[in-house]
């Protein structure tokens, strides 16, 4: 094996587990060579300090094969790490929290099992990407559109399980998902919601269970392996209107967020708004050297120049309206009036018939319009075309302009002064009342010193956000424990409760140990309470 | 004591527990007399077969007192049953699943702890009713409105924990709740979502946790006692328009539901539509004897007469539009056009400024408009002014007209032929894709034979719905096990998993044993698997 087994697991145990995986899946779907494992590591961590790389990758194709893998892992006490498909860039990629764990890649479970046009939902497997779902809808000629994330290579299930958001009508909070099938640590299969009844007709139409609803219990957790999920879709609207708002001063973020909150609460701006700062928008279309060649963070005056050159302003908001033309027109008029209260603000939008959406040129307008692409990945190349890297840092903030702006300033100052890096951020309006301030800490991954500084600064920013009263919605593998430690109400009562559940539903501790700081008993680093 | 302790609990253990409750709360907040207990039984079960009555009721006023009660119950191994406030009529009232359990009534925890006008949420305790919240908003002169249920005496937390719905903009699915505080079976306190971080500023604005989100885990479960919750509110809209649709034939339910689904998916009809049949609407305003004096179910021709007399049609849909006047006008025009495709359908609505809503006369228009009242309770009196009773029977059905109509026919036939009772139903559109078909089995509670027949028929309807592929969203105490037994996928894998969690988080089994069919190990009736 190219990678050693995890601490506490003997070579013999891992070999026995591999034998069992091969017996269940065949040898071609059990990967152990260095070459095969490469794409399952954290892609942005310098190789010399690999700490999140699996020793084995298994590729089940059916639920029964997932069950067999889980049972073999339990028998030989080998930790697994589930990865649906996609990249998870900025959060550790497909890497495993425990070095040497066995990655269960679900990329070959890639069937769209059902699409119900009348009720506007699909049932998908974890290997189904946004792109796959879009193509299947198109192939069948259905009048439906999906709510997509920035990168079409991602898994609809994987993104949902990480509390990811998407930009369409079903993108807020957890509205996308409805009803799951899950393999638990004992190798059994259960279904959530109405699916707990064999043959129930409402599984993917009703969000709750008789009894506690477990869909969100299986999000950001290590309590099971999700093998099917209902995904809500939107019937083709008459009109899609991508909407843009541009403001020119850094402090314009304050009224921009306040107007956005009021519009969202009034349901005039329905679907997934995101606010880019100048540099993240610049990175989506060009590389840093095209704009600035100095060391250290790009100076304020140069950012203003870039803002004019790429016509982004200092903050650029993108959103979408979908529906009947009269309603869309009325909503746009309300939106325009609201944002134009900000001096210098510009608001524009163009109307498109559903069938014309794929002809749009702007990748962001395509994404919000339900047509997946991967253009946004360009941001990774900001500091280096071939060795570009980034870490995401993503606190949750109430939709209050002053609060967001003050936090932004603290985080920007920290990154610029302590790591000497540019601050690139996209704030996503996950609902009317809160935003996730997704900072992209981009760096040149070929420079180990810079990489170390980026990783360390990202961790320090966790504490800086906490001091202001904010926590991250998600974390890089490298900071999962540090972020969990910030959730400290009543001596980490939440984490202690969740770990009690972990011990009950996965007593051997094989499912994704360490995910979101949740460890099985034998690996729990510091007893029940977590020091900060 | 007026009521004996639960099976398996000695008189001495209960007495010791009572002593501990008195030590913690004082004797005036520990009730044991027959008179005091009366309102905490199932109000509609004839007294001679009382099976869901507590032996003690405790009335904590603070979180610390709830903790003390839970710790005392654990020490003396006495089962508790949580009741926030309100009536829970039709589902067993404040009655306890286990005869003789100790009811923890949270009615004295009735503080509105916070209202944030900008972010449009409140933080409330379990004893806060819809009416209390409305009055506090009004008292403070805030430009906010709530999403209410039919009966203003209900608890916002209690209704949410039962997977209840409400008729406002935040009434679909679980959109009302955001962030909870919970006392667990060991007497500890945890907070869900961002509240897991002490002092986090986004607790009631962001719906998820870092790690698994537990809000829905504490709904319809017996894993904790919820002591605080965030409740989302709506900023005062320019215009509120109650919308009504009336159709005249029984089979018009098919196109009515199909048009409703399309409108909801297109987001033209946003807030909580409900579809009444003639008799449930009649019961809200009159008593049966005013319309019909014969035995057995009211004949078809008479129902048609009543439909004309009370101007309800055979099906009457109520919904609400909220927002900017231009948008409301456009939405109403779309709604009118859609429903008027049904021959004979009538659609109407009237526009009201926010400040004029309290002046409306129709209790249903007040409810949808955010002004709580208790007029809908009139339905209980259908068969008897003083001894009126009812059981609710509530399957979840995809929003497909034909499916709902076929199920309706089966259920109506069962109730009419097997119990000889009128079929009264309100179908609530909990989201665009599904409805809860809430059947009200009304009867004269003074007639024990009729009551027994009603209770037994309700149980049989559980099986009838299952045969068609549907399950209940909630159940009367008397049918909780029977409904749980229908959720049979993979030998009740969901229930077995949930009970494994129950054993971990409540090992002594003191919190609401039997709720939704979830029993602690020592009371589990038939091992892990449930026979049907």
């Amino acid at each position: 094996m190219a990678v050693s087994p995890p601490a506490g697991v003997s070579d013999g145990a891992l070999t026995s587990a591999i034998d069992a995986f091969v017996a269940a899946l065949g040898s071609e779907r059990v990967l152990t060579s260095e070459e095969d494992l490469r794409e399952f590591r954290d892609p942005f961590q310098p190789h010399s300090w690999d700490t999140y790389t699996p020793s084995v990758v298994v590729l089940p194709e059916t639920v029964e094969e997932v069950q067999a893998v889980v049972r073999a892992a339990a028998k030989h006490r080998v930790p697994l790490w589930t990865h649906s498909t996609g990249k998870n860039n900025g959060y550790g990629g497909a890497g495993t929290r425990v070095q040497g764990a066995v990655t269960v890649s679900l990329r070959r479970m890639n069937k769209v099992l059902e699409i119900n046009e009348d009720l506007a939902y699909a049932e998908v497997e974890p290997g189904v990407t946004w792109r796959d779902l879009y193509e299947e809808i198109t192939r069948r000629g259905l009048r439906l559109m999906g709510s997509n994330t920035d990168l079409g290579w991602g898994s609809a299930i994987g993104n949902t399980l990480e509390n990811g958001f998407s930009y369409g009508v079903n993108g807020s909070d957890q509205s996308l998902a409805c009803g799951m099938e899950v393999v638990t640590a004992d190798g059994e299969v259960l279904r959530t919601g109405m699916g707990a009844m064999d043959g129930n007709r409402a599984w993917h139409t009703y969000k709750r269970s008789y009894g506690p609803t477990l869909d969100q219990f299986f999000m950001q957790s290590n309590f099971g392996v999700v093998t099917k999920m209902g995904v809500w879709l939107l019937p083709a609207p008459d009109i899609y209107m991508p909407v843009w708002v541009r403001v020119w001063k850094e402090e314009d973020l304050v009224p921009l967020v306040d107007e956005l909150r009021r519009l969202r609460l009034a349901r005039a701006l329905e679907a997934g708004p995101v606010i880019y700062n100048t540099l993240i928008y610049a990175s989506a279309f060009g590389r840093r050297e095209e704009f600035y060649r100095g060391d250290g963070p790009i100076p304020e005056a140069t950012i203003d120049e870039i803002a004019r050159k790429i016509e982004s302003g200092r903050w650029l908001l993108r959103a979408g309206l979908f529906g009947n033309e009269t309603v869309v027109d009325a909503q746009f008029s309300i939106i325009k009036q609201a944002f134009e209260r900000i001096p210098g603000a510009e608001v524009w939008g163009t109307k498109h018939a559903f069938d014309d959406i794929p002809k749009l040129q702007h990748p962001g307008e395509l994404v919000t319009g339900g047509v997946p692409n991967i253009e946004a990945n360009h941001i990774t190349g900001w500091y280096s075309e071939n060795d570009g890297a980034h870490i995401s840092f993503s606190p949750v903030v109430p939709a209050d302009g002053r609060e967001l702006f003050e936090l932004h300033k603290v985080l920007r100052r920290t990154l610029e002064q302590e790591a000497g890096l540019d601050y690139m951020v996209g704030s996503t309006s996950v609902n009317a009342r809160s935003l996730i301030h997704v900072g992209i800490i981009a760096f040149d991954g070929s420079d180990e010193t810079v990489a170390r500084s980026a990783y360390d600064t990202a961790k320090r920013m966790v504490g800086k956000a906490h001091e202001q009263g904010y926590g991250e919605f998600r974390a890089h593998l490298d900071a999962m424990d540090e972020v969990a430690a910030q959730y400290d109400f009543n001596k980490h009562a939440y984490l202690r409760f969740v770990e009690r559940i972990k011990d009950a539903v996965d007593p051997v501790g094989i499912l994704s140990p360490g995910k979101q700081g949740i460890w099985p008993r034998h690996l729990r680093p510091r007893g029940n309470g977590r020091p900060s």
Side-chain angles (χ1 to χ4, degrees), chain A residues 112-146:
Chain A
V112 176
L113 296 164
E114 180 191 0
I115 305 180
N116 187 315
E117 191 171 24
D118 286 340
L119 291 163
Y121 71 79
E123 181 182 282
V124 301
E125 292 187 325
V128 172
T129 65
W130 305 107
R131 186 88 213 165
D132 294 337
L133 182 54
Y134 172 77
E135 286 177 354
E136 184 62 18
I137 290 168
T138 307
R139 195 185 64 73
R140 297 194 195 180
L142 304 177
R143 306 297 291 173
L144 293 168
M145 69 189 289

Side-chain angles (χ1 to χ4, degrees), chain A residues 76-142:
Chain A
H76 301 289
R77 299 183 166 258
V78 171
L80 302 175
W81 184 263
T82 309
H83 182 248
S84 296
T85 191
K87 304 288 184 186
N88 196 32
N89 282 345
Y91 295 106
T96 59
R97 177 66 187 83
V98 169
Q99 172 78 359
V102 175
T103 291
V104 183
S105 167
L106 301 172
R107 63 168 61 160
R108 296 210 187 176
M109 293 179 67
N110 59 0
K111 289 189 286 299
V112 176
L113 296 164
E114 180 191 0
I115 305 180
N116 187 315
E117 191 171 24
D118 286 340
L119 291 163
Y121 71 79
E123 181 182 282
V124 301
E125 292 187 325
V128 172
T129 65
W130 305 107
R131 186 88 213 165
D132 294 337
L133 182 54
Y134 172 77
E135 286 177 354
E136 184 62 18
I137 290 168
T138 307
R139 195 185 64 73
R140 297 194 195 180
L142 304 177

Side-chain angles (χ1 to χ4, degrees), chain A residues 466 484-496 530:
Chain A
H466 184 193
Q486 312 297 320
Y487 288 86
D488 55 359
F489 175 77
N490 188 18
K491 301 177 191 134
H492 303 87
Y494 164 80
L495 184 59
R496 288 184 287 120
R530 289 287 192 278

Side-chain angles (χ1 to χ4, degrees), chain A residues 141-255:
Chain A
L142 304 177
R143 306 297 291 173
L144 293 168
M145 69 189 289
S147 177
N148 296 294
T149 57
D150 288 304
L151 295 164
W153 59 33
S155 158
I157 288 183
N159 184 71
T160 299
L161 295 185
E162 296 302 324
N163 282 348
F165 42 80
S166 57
Y167 296 107
V169 167
N170 293 309
S172 291
D173 297 322
Q174 303 94 336
S175 60
L176 196 79
C178 185
M180 293 176 177
E181 180 183 88
V182 183
V183 172
T184 48
D186 53 3
E188 287 243 42
V189 186
L190 65 80
R191 289 180 177 173
T192 67
M194 291 290 113
M197 176 185 289
D198 208 6
N200 187 288
R201 298 187 56 80
W203 186 18
H204 299 308
T205 69
Y206 178 71
K207 289 251 180 185
R208 301 180 281 196
S209 297
Y210 174 78
T213 302
L214 299 181
D215 292 55
Q216 294 174 32
F217 177 84
F218 289 113
M219 296 179 189
Q220 281 203 0
S221 76
N222 46 21
F223 300 151
V225 178
V226 176
T227 51
K228 291 184 181 68
M229 190 178 84
V231 173
W232 280 4
L233 303 166
L234 181 72
D238 297 342
I239 292 292
Y240 162 52
M241 181 194 253
V243 173
W244 298 89
V245 183
R246 180 167 56 196
V247 294
W248 291 96
K249 289 190 236 140
E250 180 88 335
E251 59 269 31
D252 285 342
L253 183 64
V254 178

Side-chain angles (χ1 to χ4, degrees), chain A residues 343-354:
Chain A
E346 297 148 293
V347 184
W348 68 98
T350 49
K351 291 188 280 186
H352 307 277
F354 175 73

Side-chain angles (χ1 to χ4, degrees), chain A residues 350-368:
Chain A
T350 49
K351 291 188 280 186
H352 307 277
F354 175 73
D355 290 326
D356 293 334
I357 299 173
K359 298 176 205 156
L360 290 169
Q361 294 301 309
H362 194 294
E365 296 193 345
L366 286 166
V367 165
T368 302

